[in-house]
Amino acid sequence: MKNASRIVTMLFGVLAALAGLEHGIGEALQGNVRPGGLMILSWPDSSFFAILGGEPAMTVVPNLLVSGILTILMSLVLLTWVVAFVHRRHGGWVLLAICAVLLLVGGGFGPPALGVIVGLAALRIHSSHAWAARAPRLRRLLASTWPWMLGCGVVAWLLLMPGMSLLAVSLGVDSAWLVTTTILCAFGTLLLSIFTGFARDARPRTPAATAAARLSRGLPRGTSSGHARASRSPASCTCRPRS
């Protein structure tokens, strides 16, 4: 199992699930009412979420109470999946499907977007990441920065929610520029956490694995593929005329 990639997908997947859960609670609390359209606000009358625009979302469900309940259920499914099952075969594809449903039932836009990026990363959990293994110095450099990128990413997402709302309520901070910058930092550090996590999980190919790969291609040990192709080409053969 790739430890760094698994930790990244689990941590950020949990954050996506908790953010989706918050959307669902806000929608359910609005009661048995019909939304005014496809676009809704999860917390339209809450001063705590005012700095985030009332937490916009979309829903295809014609009832906010039902939409909130479905969002809560899908968030719990997402939480369970990223903690226990995302590393399994096709786990990333299932995570992408969960995020698509979460988007449609009222889970906001940030949580599904975060979940989609995590799902795409989960598709590469079991990859050998040969690009990093071919450059040992670069791999070591990127791998050494992974804990810092991961920590900065988690802090950035927590600063976005609930950090922005806490700053607005306690200190009166109300800056659209600050919210935009925090969103960019959150997604940027997420991508860096994934990239450096892949580098940390990459392992250089051992001599035994190299020999096995050569044998699987029909090459003798210690023979390069280019030399083998040249030795099998007609131009390299010297044919004697038949007497």
Side-chain angles (χ1 to χ4, degrees):
M1 183 186 299
K2 306 295 185 178
N3 292 330
S5 301
R6 174 72 190 281
I7 291 173
V8 170
T9 55
M10 182 178 67
L11 282 180
F12 288 103
V14 168
L15 291 176
L18 294 177
L21 192 64
E22 167 254 301
H23 275 273
I25 293 174
E27 292 155 13
L29 289 177
Q30 295 182 52
N32 189 24
V33 297
R34 186 180 184 88
L38 185 66
M39 307 301 296
I40 63 172
L41 294 178
S42 299
W43 297 89
D45 302 320
S46 173
S47 59
F48 186 79
F49 294 98
I51 192 172
L52 299 176
E55 288 285 57
M58 63 173 289
T59 180
V60 296
V61 181
N63 186 289
L64 286 179
L65 176 60
V66 177
S67 179
I69 293 174
L70 290 176
T71 300
I72 292 172
L73 291 177
M74 291 308 303
S75 298
L76 293 176
V77 170
L78 173 59
L79 180 64
T80 303
W81 190 262
V82 296
V83 170
F85 304 106
V86 73
H87 63 283
R88 296 188 176 185
R89 187 181 181 185
H90 305 309
W93 291 111
V94 176
L95 178 55
L96 292 174
I98 294 173
C99 292
V101 177
L102 183 63
L103 172 67
L104 295 176
V105 299
F109 298 104
L114 175 58
V116 166
I117 296 175
V118 170
L120 293 175
L123 296 177
R124 306 294 295 173
I125 281 182
H126 300 289
S127 172
S128 61
H129 307 296
W131 59 270
R134 285 193 292 266
R137 291 184 179 179
L138 177 62
R139 183 190 69 82
R140 287 193 294 270
L141 176 62
L142 293 174
S144 65
T145 63
W146 173 73
W148 298 98
M149 294 298 103
L150 180 65
C152 290
V154 173
V155 170
W157 281 96
L158 291 177
L159 178 60
L160 180 61
M161 182 62 211
M164 287 292 99
S165 296
L166 291 174
L167 287 175
V169 171
S170 60
L171 301 178
V173 176
D174 186 7
S175 172
W177 176 86
L178 180 59
V179 174
T180 302
T181 302
T182 305
I183 292 174
L184 293 177
C185 290
F187 279 101
T189 51
L190 166 63
L191 295 176
L192 288 174
S193 298
I194 294 171
F195 186 65
T196 56
F198 286 165
R200 191 179 181 91
D201 287 336
R203 293 293 181 270
R205 180 175 286 184
T206 62
T210 303
R214 292 183 182 279
L215 291 175
S216 67
R217 297 197 299 266
L219 301 178
R221 294 176 183 267
T223 303
S224 64
S225 58
H227 181 270
R229 287 194 298 269
S231 64
R232 290 196 297 266
S233 62
S236 64
C237 300
T238 303
C239 301
R240 295 181 179 179
R242 180 177 296 178
S243 57

